[in-house]
Each structure stands twice: as structure tokens, then as C-alpha cells.
Amino acid sequence: MQRVLIVAFDGAVALDIFGPAEVFTAASNHTDRAAYRVEVVTPGGGTTRTSTSVPIVARDAFAVRPRPGDTILVAGGQEESILAAMANQELLAWIRRAARVAGRVASVCSGAFLLAAAGLLDGRRATTHWRGCERLGRMFPRVRVDANAIFVSDGPIWTSAGVTTGIDMALAMVEKDHGRAVADAVAAGLVLYARRPGFQSQWSEALVSQMEDSSPLGAAVAWIRTHLREASVDTLARASALSVRTLHRRCHEHLALTPRRLIEKVRVEQARTLLVTTRESAKTLATRCGFGTAANMKRAFERELGVAPAEYRLLHAREEPRRRIAS
């Protein structure tokens, strides 16, 4: 039996704790013997309130001795809670000691800030919630932040993006430990819509929200959205009343993107919406969204989202369109 120690603290996000805990616990129902034993630990132990104000009773982390084969999973929390946990030097020291012994160390959402503060992410690829990726990279420049992936494994260190992606990460761990059949059975038992691979982009309106908030490029993004077919680096520069060189500099400063990649991302955002809300063919959507050809759109989707347009449509189409597509 493998032990999973979930590290929580006052204000930790409840789903960061209980989502992975349910995955590991459910895995035992699909193996010959109990696969995991889940324990929640906190600094000092006792009763701790989660982000939902629902209290949990946990063991004192400082009284728990990590063992080889353990999985240490650090939950996330809101800014005030995370900053308080980062300031707890005794907790950071415990995480460092645990990492030297345990077989695997992981974080959910903003828990990555605790791993980074403990020095465990230096030189490693890692992710966190899309809202915190820029800040994680700024506070800990030695971390190679992947703002797209929903979870990342770099050697024994695993990190996941926002909240529910902790469930995806836990399922990937179960698959690694016990095989795909067990992980699929757990996902089915939890009635998950789909198992998402780690390379899948942090889908949602995250990208668009980031761009809209990134002055002075908000107007440029708005222009791309309404001129998808004719958008290019040159036309975007003219519409923004900027030189091409200045446009490149601003895109890099505010979004860490080239103008060409920015245009592609906005096109993909529009195309993915149309894929799940219309029955238009890939060829028609490619033309409508400015890719030119279906092959160009497929390559862009694979770069940005890790899947082809046809796969994205099958995963995300609303129920009635999905039945028609499948037929």
C-alpha cells in the first residue's frame, strides 16, 4: 500500500484536498489489494478550516515521518492563505525533507508556490493556475513555468493547474502506478466527463481574459477577433498604429508571445468555440477563422491544445451535436 500525504493549511482549497483523495481512495476498489492510504496533514494538526469554511481534522505534519514510496501532495489556497503558508519556515523545511525521502512530490493549483518556495521547482518545468503563472515565474525565475499544460511531471515532481486538474493529475499517477485500466475505471466510477492528458492546454476563456486585461494590447486583440481572415503581423501593426518592431516588443512584454503566435491563439479560441456550437466542416471553419486550410488549422490546434480539431469536437461538443457527429 502506498501512502499519500496531502498537505493542507488554514484556508486550503477543499477540492484540492478531496478531489485527489477520492481518486486515490477509489483506486483501491479496482485493484487486488488496497492501493493507497490517504492522510491529510497540516502544520500542528488538529482542526483546520478550508476555503469553504468546512473544517477538517488532520494529523500534525511535523509528527509524520515521510517514507520511501510516499506521495506528498500540497494543496493550493487563496493568496492570503498561500502567503501565510509560504512564510511558515517549519512547513517549508518539512516539505524539503519529505522530498528527499518520498517517491513523488506534487502540488495542486497554487500549491506550486509552496514547492517553489521550498526550492523544489528550481530548474524544473512546472505549472499552476493560469492566473498565477506569470507571478510564479516572476517570484521564482529559476522555475520553467508552463502556462498551458494542465499538469506537468518533471522527474519525481508533479504540478497541476487550477483546482479540478488535481483530479486529472491524480488519475495520471494511478495510471503510472497501476495501469490505464485501473485509472479508466476510477474515472468512470467518479463519472468524469473525460480524462484529460497533461499536455492539454488550460482550456476555457483564460487566454482571452489574459489578453483583454493586458493593456495596451486589448484593442489589438479586439481587432484580431473581428478581422480573423485578414489578420497578419503587418495588418495588426497598422491597425494598432504601431511599427512592427514595437508590436513585437509589446507582445513580448505583456504576453510573452510573438504577434504571429498571438494571432494564432485568437484564431484557435474562435475556432474551438465554433467547433462545439456549429456543424460546420473543418474546411469551412479554417477559412472563416483565417487559417486558410484545414491542415493549417489542425497544426495550430495541435500546437495550442495538444489535440486535432476533430478530437476537440468529439470531446467538447454539446450532447445533441455530438450524437450527430458520431453518427
Side-chain angles (χ1 to χ4, degrees), residues 271-295:
R272 73 180 183 87
T273 300
L274 294 174
L275 277 168
V276 300
T277 57
T278 75
R279 299 178 63 190
E280 293 183 3
S281 68
K283 181 178 179 180
T284 299
L285 290 180
T287 300
R288 182 173 171 181
C289 295
F291 294 105
T293 67

Side-chain angles (χ1 to χ4, degrees), residues 213-227:
D213 292 342
S214 297
S215 178
L217 291 174
V221 173
W223 184 88
I224 297 170
R225 283 176 159 180
T226 56
H227 299 81

Side-chain angles (χ1 to χ4, degrees), residues 104-128:
R104 188 163 51 202
V105 178
S107 65
V108 180
C109 197
S110 55
F113 283 83
L114 282 176
L115 297 191
L120 301 184
L121 300 185
D122 288 354
R124 294 187 183 275
R125 187 167 151 259
T127 193
T128 187

Side-chain angles (χ1 to χ4, degrees), residues 137-157:
R138 188 171 64 250
M139 291 178 66
F140 304 99
R142 297 184 64 185
V143 179
R144 294 187 289 120
V145 179
D146 186 335
N148 287 318
I150 64 169
F151 65 84
V152 169
S153 62
D154 189 334
I157 308 296

